[in-house]
Amino acid sequence: MNKGQEIKLERILTIYTALDLSNNNFQGEIPEVIGDLTSLVVLNLSHNDLTGQIPSSIGNMAQLESLDLSVNKLSGKIPGLLTDLTFLAFLNLSQNHLEGPIPRGNQFDTFSNTSYNDNPGLCRFPLSRKCSDDIPPHQGGEESTNDDSKFEWKFTLMGYGTGMVIGIVIGLVIFKDEWLVRTFRLAPIGRQRKSKRGRSSR
């Protein structure tokens, strides 16, 4: 298997550097020393029973063009050092128990969803699942949303109440004379003053 395609080799090329241990019953963790195979171009450990985390030392395999770790029981996060594999053209980490955000950068920005299928714990691009730290605090759950809505309603009611009081006060000031005249049948304040002046002059 090379870059997801099955190829029949008529002879082994000396310049072809590949390690294919797929479709066995290997168990346990992938050793960190695998990162010492820095001339490796193809690494296929798929369809085994491997557990533990993906070794970050794989990021040292600078010549790697194809990495297939699919159909195992690998867990934990995808090491960020794998983004250093600038020649990586094929990646398959599907059907494992990986979790956390998918690293971004270099070749990792070119891989599609199929590289990560059946890893329910994975999130972020290219998957549609967002990570928990990507969700703003005010959208972090139903409880926080309800608290925010209650908070907004309090301010709304306070605004209406304040506006109503101010409106009533302004209305009383503007229509004070007219209200007094209609209620107590008094002459407006200006006329009362003129009337008093006229009487005093007489």
Side-chain angles (χ1 to χ4, degrees):
M1 293 291 294
N2 183 14
K3 299 181 181 179
Q5 297 182 353
E6 187 173 343
I7 302 173
K8 184 177 180 179
L9 296 179
E10 300 296 337
R11 59 192 179 90
I12 302 297
L13 301 177
T14 56
I15 60 172
Y16 193 72
T17 309
L19 179 62
D20 189 343
L21 301 176
S22 61
N23 292 284
N24 287 288
N25 294 316
F26 291 123
Q27 298 178 347
E29 299 182 359
I30 303 174
E32 283 283 342
V33 294
I34 199 168
D36 294 340
L37 304 176
T38 54
S39 297
L40 211 58
V41 176
V42 176
L43 176 61
N44 189 349
L45 300 176
S46 65
H47 294 84
N48 282 291
D49 198 21
L50 298 173
T51 57
Q53 298 185 349
I54 299 174
S56 58
S57 61
I58 293 180
N60 299 329
M61 305 166 70
Q63 305 301 318
L64 203 61
E65 297 180 6
S66 176
L67 176 61
D68 193 343
L69 303 177
S70 62
V71 195
N72 280 290
K73 297 179 181 178
L74 299 173
S75 58
K77 296 182 178 181
I78 301 174
L81 289 177
L82 296 189
T83 58
D84 293 339
L85 302 176
T86 55
F87 290 106
L88 196 63
F90 176 82
L91 175 68
N92 192 352
L93 303 178
S94 62
Q95 299 186 51
N96 280 288
H97 306 303
L98 300 172
E99 60 185 9
I102 297 173
R104 297 294 305 274
N106 294 328
Q107 299 303 103
F108 267 73
D109 292 341
T110 66
F111 300 130
S112 63
N113 294 13
T114 55
S115 296
Y116 312 101
N117 281 343
D118 297 322
N119 285 284
L122 286 179
C123 54
R124 208 169 283 173
F125 180 87
L127 303 178
S128 57
R129 277 191 303 274
K130 293 184 177 180
C131 298
S132 57
D133 55 353
D134 293 336
I135 302 175
H138 65 279
Q139 297 178 359
E142 184 178 353
E143 183 177 352
S144 62
T145 303
N146 291 338
D147 291 342
D148 289 344
S149 60
K150 291 178 182 178
F151 193 70
E152 291 175 0
W153 269 108
K154 287 181 181 178
F155 270 96
T156 303
L157 292 175
M158 288 174 62
Y160 276 118
T162 305
M164 185 179 295
V165 171
I166 293 174
I168 292 173
V169 171
I170 293 175
L172 288 175
V173 171
I174 294 176
F175 300 105
K176 179 178 179 182
D177 285 356
E178 184 177 350
W179 181 78
L180 289 173
V181 170
R182 290 183 179 179
T183 305
F184 300 104
R185 295 180 180 179
L186 297 175
I189 295 175
R191 293 182 181 179
Q192 289 179 5
R193 290 176 180 173
K194 290 181 180 180
S195 174
K196 288 180 180 180
R197 290 176 182 174
R199 289 176 184 176
S200 61
S201 62
R202 290 178 184 176

